[in-house]
Amino acid sequence: MGPPGSGKGTQSQRLVERFGIPQISTGDLLRGAVARGTEYGVRAKAAMDAGQLVADEIVLGIIRERLAERDTDSGFILDGFPRNFAQAQALSNMLGTLGKPLDAVVLFEVDYGEIVKRISGRRSCPQCGRVFNIHTAPAGSPPRCDQCAGHPALVQRADDEEATVRRRLEVYEQQTQPLADYYTAQGLLRTIDASASVDEVTRRLVALLESLPARQRLRNAS
Ligand code: AP5
């Protein structure tokens, strides 16, 4: 968890490569549903455009379907979910049924000025979804994806417009940040300073995850 633009998506993609487990980003899943025009997507679009949370019923439906897929058997990274108490409690029930408790909840801390800078520079590839930033990794002018055939031009997210970002930050403070106390009480919360460079944040995150009891048990067993 962390505010918009704190680097959750960027770091999750790196953890996918490092640990070989999938990233489950509710933001990406919802944007995919909007792009495909599914029933969930049509219902989610208005809330996303307004910087509000999408209805729990939709998000939980999407998460339930995703967690049923086989690639989650050896673990998964939840990115941007849960975002309120109702979602956290529903997740706890789902994982209890699956017998897969959370190993940790990582909170990314970044100050407001850095968040605004990161979001204003964010661009993503419409084909592969990879996230870039014109301030730190300029990808040409106009910026293009260097990973995909045909090098498609990078695009800016519709909800990265200034007024919508301000609303997303308010929603984060009011509804999501309080979950930090909820997970602290369960002994699951780990906080990292995510204002450093992408590589340094990855180093801090991997060190933290490697130190978790669940990870050490896996290493001892192998
Ligand atoms: P979502 O897509 O999850 O947006 P978000 O939480 O606001 O987070 P962001 O994607 O903006 O930021 P991030 O932390 O992933 O940062 P990133 O790595 O991209 O959700 C969008 C919407 O969907 C929500 O507003 C809501 O409507 C809906 N939604 C989603 N989940 C929901 C849920 N559970 N319930 C209800 N509704 C839900 O990095 C940002 C930029 O900074 C990039 O350009 C990146 O290259 C750059 N960057 C990253 N790290 C660094 C660094 N260390 N140094 C410099 N630059 C960096």
Side-chain angles (χ1 to χ4, degrees):
M1 59 183 284
S6 56
K8 304 181 296 292
T10 301
Q11 295 299 332
S12 297
Q13 287 178 355
R14 290 182 160 211
L15 295 184
V16 168
E17 286 160 25
R18 170 119 194 171
F19 294 112
I21 55 174
Q23 166 198 17
I24 301 179
S25 155
T26 38
D28 288 347
L29 291 170
L30 288 165
R31 276 185 288 278
V34 171
R36 291 193 307 281
T38 65
E39 191 201 327
Y40 279 152
V42 171
R43 291 170 60 197
K45 188 174 183 315
M48 294 176 80
D49 287 349
Q52 300 284 357
L53 292 188
V54 171
D56 292 339
E57 172 218 343
I58 296 177
V59 175
L60 292 171
I62 285 179
I63 282 284
R64 204 169 285 117
E65 281 174 10
R66 185 63 187 87
L67 287 176
E69 289 180 32
R70 290 299 306 273
D71 67 341
T72 60
D73 284 355
S74 342
F76 45 86
I77 303 148
L78 293 168
D79 164 10
F81 174 87
R83 293 208 198 206
N84 60 25
F85 283 112
Q87 293 182 11
Q89 276 152 5
L91 174 67
S92 170
N93 293 340
M94 267 185 247
L95 296 182
T97 307
L98 293 170
K100 290 179 183 169
L102 289 178
D103 294 318
V105 175
V106 183
L107 171 63
F108 282 16
E109 283 187 336
V110 181
D111 70 41
Y112 184 78
E114 177 67 15
I115 284 172
V116 171
K117 182 175 167 218
R118 286 184 188 182
I119 291 188
S120 68
R122 172 166 50 196
R123 303 288 184 278
S124 52
C125 172
Q127 217 160 292
C128 68
R130 214 175 177 86
V131 177
F132 297 80
N133 196 290
I134 55 171
H135 299 309
T136 48
S141 177
R144 294 180 171 280
C145 180
D146 53 8
Q147 315 274 320
C148 286
H151 304 300
L154 303 182
V155 294
Q156 191 161 21
R157 264 171 51 176
D159 63 348
D160 276 353
E161 185 256 329
E162 197 185 325
T164 314
V165 171
R166 220 175 303 123
R167 185 68 200 131
R168 284 162 57 202
L169 282 165
E170 281 168 14
V171 168
Y172 173 79
E173 278 167 21
Q174 288 161 8
Q175 301 195 43
T176 308
Q177 208 166 15
L179 289 182
D181 291 339
Y182 173 80
Y183 286 120
T184 299
Q186 295 179 31
L188 288 171
L189 195 83
R190 307 284 188 281
T191 300
I192 62 171
D193 174 2
S195 55
S197 69
V198 175
D199 285 345
E200 175 57 21
V201 176
T202 305
R203 198 192 60 70
R204 290 174 189 174
L205 184 58
V206 168
L208 186 160
L209 295 176
E210 292 286 4
S211 72
L212 292 174
R215 187 76 193 157
Q216 288 176 343
R217 272 201 306 278
L218 263 184
R219 215 177 298 119
N220 294 339
S222 62

